[in-house]
């Protein structure tokens, strides 16, 4: 009753109304303050990316976007790999079965039923949040020859032209090297061989870029096509894409490589002539047939001369196919150094498979299970006449010596 009588007084009612109004204003102010503080990670605002310093709604808005991006990137970094996966990509190196529009098998498996490429975009080990945070939310247009591509949703990365290529040689160990180096979190690679610079060049760089996996800031895009090393037009074409491209060549004893090459062809075409008959143009005189691709590929010095017209030796790394088997961690260490990567792939990643006679990965990329190369690798070579083998060694010796001199490496094929 007393409380009711108080509010009968006009002065008391006026004071109470003012108090309620002030309380409401205070609550509204606190609400907006909380909303603005939290907006750096929750409130999406459209931003136009039309230039370095233009296209934003206000100058201080750039700082707001930077903070927002860094918080989102850090959140992604703390999630499991599957939580940040944009999509899975399945490519393959076999072209004999039904392929999709890009020329890759639609089921994503090779002829042995193995996935050559199955992984989601990964955050690199040395992510620069400050650099990433400066990138606009929306992008316009495609990149230039530097390899920059379209920016997609955060966490999915961008498709870029490759900064490094495994260019050869066939039957040298290129598949093993690609599978091994892809274990590194800062490497993203196409599993299939695009053959862009030797067979599909007319399709253009946009087509080529579209084949690449998406990468995040600090990651390197790679592909391998062993026939590049022996294709005369390829060095000029790669140089036209980017003169800074790093090139990796896996080389092997040219005699052993030729026999391995023949063995692969024999498995597909059992009715081909013998190795001996294909090796010699004239068996009586012992003249080697250098027009046969199995012989021609092993003349490494001749092919290297073509590449040195467009790239300095400092941009070419030669990996020993023999040491890739006997000391995979050592060769992978050289590759990581060459690419400017932290040495993450070490001895602990490999074990030697006595049955296959090759090193295998304890854990392949995107898997927790051991992984060895398919049954098409490590085939048993046919018996070759020792006289033929010796004749080939005599033939390759001067070319090998020149190659040792050009590269500064003694590969030991003539010991």
């Amino acid at each position: 009753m007393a409380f009711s009588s108080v509010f009968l007084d006009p002065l008391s009612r006026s004071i109470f109304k003012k108090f309620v109004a002030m309380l409401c204003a205070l609550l509204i102010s606190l609400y907006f303050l909380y909303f603005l503080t939290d907006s750096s990670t929750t409130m999406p605002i459209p931003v136009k990316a039309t230039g370095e310093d233009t296209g934003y709604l206000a100058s201080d808005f750039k700082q707001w976007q930077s903070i927002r991006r860094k918080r989102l990137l850090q959140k992604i970094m703390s999630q499991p790999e599957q939580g940040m996966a944009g999509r899975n990509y399945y490519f393959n190196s076999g072209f004999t079965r039904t392929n999709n529009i890009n020329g890759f098998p639609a089921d994503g498996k090779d002829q042995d039923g193995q996935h050559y490429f199955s992984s989601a975009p990964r955050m690199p080990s040395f992510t620069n949040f400050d650099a990433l945070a400066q990138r606009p939310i929306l992008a316009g247009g495609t990149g230039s020859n530097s390899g920059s591509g379209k920016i997609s949703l955060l966490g999915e990365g961008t498709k870029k032209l490759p900064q490094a290529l495994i260019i050869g040689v066939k039957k040298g160990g290129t598949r093993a090297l690609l599978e091994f180096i892809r274990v590194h979190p800062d490497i993203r690679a196409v599993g299939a061989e695009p053959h862009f610079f030797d067979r599909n060049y007319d399709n253009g760089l946009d087509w080529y870029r579209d084949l690449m996996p998406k990468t995040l800031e600090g990651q390197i895009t790679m592909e391998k096509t062993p026939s590049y090393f022996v294709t005369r037009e390829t060095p000029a074409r790669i140089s036209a894409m980017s003169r800074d491209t790093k090139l990796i060549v896996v080389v092997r004893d040219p005699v052993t490589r030729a026999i391995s090459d023949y063995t692969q062809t024999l498995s597909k075409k059992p009715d081909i002539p013998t190795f001996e008959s294909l090796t010699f143009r004239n068996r009586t005189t012992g003249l080697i047939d250098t027009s046969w691709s199995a012989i021609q590929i092993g003349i490494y010095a001749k092919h290297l001369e073509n590449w040195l017209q467009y790239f300095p030796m400092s941009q070419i790394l030669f990996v020993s196919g023999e040491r890739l088997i006997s000391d995979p961690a050592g060769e992978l260490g050289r590759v990581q150094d060459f690419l400017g990567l932290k040495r993450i792939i070490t001895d602990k990643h490999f074990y030697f498979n006595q049955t296959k006679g090759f090193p295998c990965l304890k854990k392949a990329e995107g898997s927790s299970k051991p992984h060895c190369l398919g049954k098409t690798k490590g085939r048993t070579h046919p018996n070759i006449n020792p006289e033929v083998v010796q004749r080939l060694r005599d033939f390759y010796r001067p070319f090998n010596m020149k190659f040792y001199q050009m590269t500064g490496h003694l590969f030991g094929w003539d010991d």
Side-chain angles (χ1 to χ4, degrees), residues 83 89 145 226 231 270 279 302 327 331-332 398:
Y89 298 88
N145 286 352
T231 304
T279 298
K302 174 185 174 183
D327 182 20
E331 287 302 282
L332 265 293

Side-chain angles (χ1 to χ4, degrees), residues 122 179-180 182-184 345 348-351 360-372:
R122 297 165 294 174
E179 293 299 305
F180 294 164
R182 282 169 58 185
V183 173
H184 200 291
I345 305 173
K348 67 181 181 181
H349 289 87
F350 302 98
Y351 73 95
C360 299
L361 288 168
K362 292 181 180 178
K363 291 182 180 180
E365 180 205 25
S367 173
S368 60
K369 298 180 180 180
H371 172 69
C372 286

Side-chain angles (χ1 to χ4, degrees), residues 163-165 181 187 220 222 246-248 317 334-342:
Q163 298 102 321
L165 300 171
I181 194 62
I187 291 291
I220 295 175
M222 288 185 69
K246 292 190 175 183
L247 310 170
I248 301 174
L317 177 70
R334 294 180 60 239
V335 174
Q336 290 171 95
D337 292 345
F338 176 69
L339 296 175
L341 300 173
K342 182 180 179 181

Side-chain angles (χ1 to χ4, degrees), residues 89-92 95 99-106 159 190 192-195 200 203 206-212:
Y89 298 88
Y90 297 96
F91 291 97
N92 159 351
F95 291 88
N99 295 340
N100 61 22
I101 191 170
N102 287 328
F104 298 112
K159 289 191 174 185
V190 178
E193 296 174 3
H195 284 278
N200 299 305
N203 289 339
D206 287 339
W207 177 89
Y208 184 45
R209 181 191 291 112
D210 196 50
L211 300 181
M212 299 299 120

Side-chain angles (χ1 to χ4, degrees), residues 243 245 247 307-317 338:
R243 294 182 179 179
T245 305
L247 310 170
W307 285 90
L308 293 178
Q309 295 181 46
Y310 299 91
F311 292 94
M313 190 66 78
S314 59
Q315 281 179 234
I316 308 175
L317 177 70
F338 176 69

Side-chain angles (χ1 to χ4, degrees), residues 11-195:
L11 179 61
S12 299
R13 289 201 302 271
S14 176
I15 294 173
F16 179 77
K17 288 180 180 180
K18 290 181 179 179
F19 173 79
V20 170
M22 291 175 62
L23 182 61
C24 290
L26 178 62
L27 290 174
I28 291 172
S29 299
L30 290 173
Y31 173 78
F32 276 104
L33 180 62
Y34 171 81
F35 181 80
L36 290 174
T37 303
D38 188 60
S39 66
S40 63
T41 58
T42 60
M43 185 176 68
I45 298 180
V47 182
K48 291 173 63 180
T50 56
E52 178 70 22
D53 296 315
T54 61
Y56 297 102
L57 300 180
S59 59
D60 59 343
F61 198 70
K62 205 168 185 180
Q63 183 179 4
W64 173 88
Q65 180 182 335
S66 175
I67 296 172
R68 174 174 174 263
R69 277 191 166 274
K70 277 195 279 189
R71 290 187 181 182
L72 286 174
L73 287 166
Q74 289 167 342
K75 183 178 180 181
I76 290 172
M77 192 87 175
S78 65
Q79 293 175 347
E81 183 172 343
Q82 60 269 25
M84 58 182 290
R87 293 181 181 87
N88 287 336
Y89 298 88
Y90 297 96
F91 291 97
N92 159 351
S93 65
F95 291 88
T96 58
R97 296 173 291 111
T98 303
N99 295 340
N100 61 22
I101 191 170
N102 287 328
F104 298 112
D107 60 2
K109 296 180 179 179
D110 68 358
Q111 295 178 4
D112 302 321
Q114 292 184 337
H115 286 289
Y116 266 163
F117 188 79
S118 171
S119 65
R122 297 165 294 174
M123 187 66 71
S125 63
F126 54 89
T127 302
N128 185 335
F129 290 113
D130 291 324
L132 274 175
Q134 300 305 319
R135 299 176 68 176
I137 295 175
L138 303 175
T142 58
S144 63
N145 286 352
S146 63
S148 59
K150 295 181 179 179
I151 297 179
S152 61
L153 296 177
L154 182 64
E156 290 188 356
T158 66
K159 289 191 174 185
K160 300 178 182 178
L161 293 171
Q163 298 102 321
L165 300 171
I166 300 175
I167 60 174
V169 297
K170 180 183 178 184
K171 308 310 296 178
T174 57
R175 171 56 57 186
L177 177 61
L178 185 69
E179 293 299 305
F180 294 164
I181 194 62
R182 282 169 58 185
V183 173
H184 200 291
D186 297 329
I187 291 291
R188 299 282 289 143
V190 178
E193 296 174 3
H195 284 278

Side-chain angles (χ1 to χ4, degrees), residues 242-299:
S242 173
R243 294 182 179 179
D244 296 325
T245 305
K246 292 190 175 183
L247 310 170
I248 301 174
V249 190
V250 187
V251 289
R252 182 184 183 187
D253 181 340
V255 177
T256 309
R257 197 221 64 81
I259 297 173
S260 180
D261 198 335
Y262 173 79
T263 304
Q264 182 183 56
T265 305
L266 184 65
S267 68
K268 299 175 182 178
K269 301 176 181 179
D271 57 343
I272 63 171
T274 64
F275 181 84
E276 289 84 346
S277 61
L278 292 171
T279 298
F280 296 101
R281 182 174 297 177
N282 188 313
R283 185 69 176 90
T284 304
T285 61
L287 183 64
I288 301 294
D289 188 358
T290 56
S291 65
W292 184 29
S293 63
I295 299 296
Q296 189 181 76
I297 291 173
I299 309 175

